[in-house]
Amino acid sequence: MADDGTTAAPWLLPASFPRGAMLLQDPTLNKGTAFTEAERDVLDLRGLLPPHVLSQSAQVARVLENFRRKPNDLERYIDLAALHDRNETLFFRVVVDHPDEMMPIIYTPTVGLACQQFGHIFQRPRGMFISANDRGRIVSILRNWPHRRVAIIVVTDGERILGLGDLGASGMGIPVGKLSLYTAGAGVHPNQCLPILLDVGTNNEALRRDPLYLGLDQPRLTGADYDSLVEEFVHATQQVFPGVVVQFEDFANHNAFRLLERYRERICTFNDDIQGTAAVALAGVLSALRITGGTLGEQRLLFQGAGEAATGIAELVVAAMVAEGLTADDARRRCWLVDSKGLVVAGRTELAAHKTRFAHEHSPVADLLSAVRQLKPTAIIGVAAVGGAFTREVVQAMAAQNRRPIVFSLSNPTSKSECTAAQAYEWSEGRALFASGSPFAPVSLGGTTFVPRQGNNSYIFPGLGLGAIVSRARHITDDMFLIAARTLAQQVTAADLAQGSLYPPLTAIRDVSAQIAAAVAEVGWRDGLAEASMPSDILAAVRAAMYEPTYATYVV
Ligand code: NAD
């Protein structure tokens, strides 16, 4: 198979094409028991496999049988990671065909647990580890990567993994998981994906005391030392993989906003925690408005949290309200933040820059419940990673003030969720329009079954990244996130809304991603930001570019 995923005509297999045991050990080419009789003959596989040739669907059935026998989700994660290392095509087949079952394992919430246990469950390295000791040689390190057509890098420095804090090099599970979703959810070819852990040390003392911790045993780099390493890294990515999309992931506040501002005009980059989250949350609100009937500009949003997710969502909501005709000032006054010190108000001193734009004139308010009572929001959006923050009193206050209160518990993993789906529905007497970051099962209440769906950025970033790749976008703009949010909301059907679902089912993710990619790419062409030439049918071109996890035929 060529590096871009196309299959060579079988009789043209290069002499360097691995054969025998080497072939079985190459996860990108391995088909295991599905190698055909002819392939076994020509590729020196006779005797290395049991004689019965299995179809891919029979292999999937076997994988599922073993997967479902595992005693817990961490074991299921380990099981899938091992399959990924053995037979990449089969791994993606399983994930693509069973997204409801597999995505919570390879991504949130289980990936959080896998990161916490990273050194203990480690089997084989995946992706690249670039450390503070690699200063001055990052270009040559990137050249060690076996694939040349890398189109997207997801990078973390591990400082704010989900809601779990500083996990240092153990944060590698996040770029790996995200890129698996790029492939499964949007068909970005696995060889185009590169997960990277930038190991700048960790301030997590317990982790550094763990003898099985795999990262640098030193405190985090800070200041100019940190910035210059990131600068060398970003520069190197463009030198080795020109035009590659760089997605910053799970960086802490104090770096995330700065790095986004520094690089967004220089390369094709975005921060998923800030911008991807924003688009998915806005899409959920737009879906909710199809039920409540109001306009976005009439809403008042109260955020529990004032970090990357909260201010990212608020900024995109402002952009969407401005597109509806509000002034930016009026739009901003419709978004309020609560942080650990209470309501973010103008009189507060030492507010971080990203919060000040939403620090409105108001007397101090100490807690979320008081803020709900005083501000009378139409929506509360939880993104502070404070589990249980939406108490019965908070949800009841929302339900007393709104016929259909919008209640989004977006924090991850599940333990950090502001309230469960059952709590939201019960405490609001079935009136809450609910979405969550981590999955919750359907809830039956008073003869109605509600099907809450995940307001998770996995609905947005795969399609957005695919759109950037297909159009070879030079930059990723706010307009692209806005169109991504609207496109996602349009994919929600009347039947979805009738059961309380504000997002499409995960089983539709590839179609959703194709629509988002086409819309994003179109904005790129419209705004003169795309290097690729524009096809006559953008959606068809996007679909044609999507990888399908079916086996190549090496020999006929
Ligand atoms: P962050 O560290 O940037 O922000 C957290 C914010 O919470 C900070 O502003 C902090 O001041 C505030 N906070 C802390 N304690 C608080 C308290 N007791 N009351 C009110 N506010 C408090 O983190 P982030 O990137 O914004 O992520 C926050 C959460 O959102 C995480 O759990 C993350 O997993 C989740 N998230 C979910 C999605 C999704 O797709 N559903 C996407 C991104 C982030």
Side-chain angles (χ1 to χ4, degrees):
M1 193 151 23
D3 207 28
D4 62 358
T6 55
T7 310
W11 54 90
L12 290 180
L13 280 180
S16 61
F17 192 85
R19 284 166 160 74
M22 289 270 287
L23 179 55
L24 297 180
Q25 279 159 25
D26 184 334
T28 65
L29 301 172
N30 186 24
K31 296 162 66 167
T33 50
F35 277 111
T36 63
E37 297 287 356
E39 287 168 340
R40 292 172 188 218
D41 283 336
V42 172
L43 297 171
D44 304 338
L45 292 167
R46 279 278 162 223
L48 298 179
L49 291 162
H52 190 141
V53 175
L54 288 188
S55 64
Q56 194 185 46
S57 58
Q59 289 180 310
V60 168
R62 185 190 56 219
V63 169
L64 291 176
E65 190 180 305
N66 285 296
F67 174 87
R68 289 171 183 160
R69 235 199 329 255
K70 300 291 174 203
N72 56 50
D73 284 347
L74 187 62
E75 291 298 325
R76 289 184 193 100
Y77 179 93
I78 294 168
D79 186 49
L80 287 180
L83 175 63
H84 199 174
D85 289 343
R86 242 182 6 253
N87 183 337
E88 190 173 80
T89 317
L90 186 56
F91 167 79
F92 283 115
R93 181 81 272 153
V94 170
V95 178
V96 166
D97 290 352
H98 302 273
D100 282 320
E101 200 170 355
M102 300 299 155
M103 281 176 58
I105 304 297
I106 64 168
Y107 191 54
T108 51
T110 311
V111 71
L113 193 55
C115 287
Q116 289 174 307
Q117 299 288 322
F118 185 75
H120 293 258
I121 63 172
F122 182 84
Q123 298 178 66
R124 278 179 66 155
R126 175 168 290 281
M128 298 198 86
F129 294 82
I130 296 172
S131 86
N133 295 341
D134 295 322
R135 194 184 292 282
R137 57 181 180 195
I138 299 180
V139 165
S140 66
I141 288 176
L142 288 178
R143 292 206 167 111
N144 287 341
W145 187 245
H147 306 293
R148 298 270 49 90
R149 293 179 181 230
V150 172
I152 181 146
I153 287 170
V154 176
V155 60
T156 187
D157 71 356
E159 189 167 5
R160 200 243 59 201
I161 296 299
L162 304 172
L164 302 170
D166 181 356
L167 295 185
S170 300
M172 182 51 133
I174 295 295
V176 167
K178 289 253 164 173
L179 284 163
S180 290
L181 294 193
Y182 268 104
T183 300
V188 178
H189 193 280
N191 291 354
Q192 293 182 300
C193 299
L194 172 51
I196 295 186
L197 189 289
L198 207 52
D199 187 349
V200 298
T202 177
N203 296 339
N204 184 332
E205 294 293 335
L207 209 50
R208 283 173 52 199
R209 281 196 301 273
D210 181 346
L212 291 181
Y213 177 59
L214 290 166
L216 287 186
D217 182 6
Q218 65 179 53
R220 285 188 169 273
L221 290 185
T222 55
D225 287 343
Y226 177 90
D227 284 357
S228 60
L229 190 77
V230 174
E231 174 69 19
E232 182 186 340
F233 165 73
V234 169
H235 199 263
T237 61
Q238 302 304 308
Q239 193 173 332
V240 179
F241 308 112
V244 67
V245 181
V246 179
Q247 173 179 333
F248 285 87
E249 189 64 42
D250 285 5
F251 283 68
N253 266 203
H254 59 106
N255 290 321
F257 291 105
R258 287 184 319 113
L259 296 178
L260 178 61
E261 285 317 309
R262 182 169 304 163
Y263 293 113
R264 64 187 303 173
E265 300 294 335
R266 276 175 53 184
I267 62 168
C268 189
T269 188
F270 70 102
N271 181 305
D272 192 45
D273 307 300
I274 301 173
Q275 299 166 289
T277 309
V280 82
L282 174 60
V285 173
L286 295 177
S287 295
L289 294 182
R290 285 168 59 190
I291 298 173
T292 62
T295 66
L296 186 64
E298 290 163 2
Q299 308 307 307
R300 185 173 298 113
L301 290 86
L302 177 61
F303 294 84
Q304 155 79 357
E308 295 170 41
T311 54
I313 300 167
E315 292 288 357
L316 194 65
V317 165
V318 167
M321 286 180 175
V322 168
E324 267 187 10
L326 268 68
T327 67
D329 281 350
D330 286 346
R332 277 183 199 290
R333 273 194 287 273
R334 298 202 151 268
C335 298
W336 294 79
L337 313 175
V338 169
D339 68 8
S340 55
K341 299 196 177 74
L343 190 65
V344 172
V345 291
R348 274 179 50 182
T349 51
E350 294 180 23
L351 279 176
H354 59 272
K355 301 183 190 179
T356 53
R357 284 199 285 257
F358 298 97
H360 309 305
E361 293 296 339
H362 198 283
S363 50
V365 178
D367 59 84
L368 178 68
L369 179 59
S370 308
V372 167
R373 288 189 172 137
Q374 293 187 33
L375 296 172
K376 302 199 181 345
T378 53
I380 48 173
I381 299 183
V383 272
V386 179
F390 292 171
T391 58
R392 178 191 291 270
E393 289 73 25
V394 166
V395 176
Q396 284 178 341
M398 284 297 291
Q401 293 161 188
N402 297 281
R403 198 171 57 79
R404 301 300 305 267
I406 298 172
V407 177
F408 287 0
S409 299
L410 297 186
S411 290
N412 291 317
T414 315
S415 60
K416 306 287 182 184
S417 202
E418 284 73 16
C419 67
T420 66
Q423 290 168 336
Y425 294 125
E426 277 166 28
W427 294 341
S428 67
E429 295 152 343
R431 289 184 285 126
L433 296 168
F434 178 80
S436 56
S438 294
F440 284 106
V443 175
S444 292
L445 186 75
T448 308
T449 298
F450 299 94
V451 182
R453 295 233 169 99
Q454 260 179 286
N456 194 295
N457 37 19
S458 54
Y459 278 113
I460 293 287
F461 68 79
L464 183 108
L466 177 63
I469 292 169
V470 168
S471 61
R472 298 220 312 273
R474 283 194 298 280
H475 303 292
I476 296 179
T477 61
D478 289 343
D479 267 4
M480 293 179 183
F481 285 99
L482 206 49
I483 195 79
R486 288 188 186 131
T487 307
L488 175 57
Q490 281 160 11
Q491 307 303 306
V492 180
T493 64
D496 288 328
L497 295 177
Q499 59 181 18
S501 302
L502 303 179
Y503 296 95
L506 276 179
T507 46
I509 182 101
R510 283 172 78 91
D511 198 44
V512 167
S513 296
Q515 301 282 353
I516 290 176
V520 165
E522 198 173 347
V523 170
W525 276 301
R526 182 196 72 192
D527 294 348
L529 293 169
E531 298 277 340
S533 50
M534 191 171 111
S536 55
D537 184 339
I538 298 176
L539 184 59
V542 163
R543 287 193 199 282
M546 289 170 75
Y547 159 87
E548 264 291 333
T550 45
Y551 288 133
T553 301
Y554 302 126
V555 177
V556 280

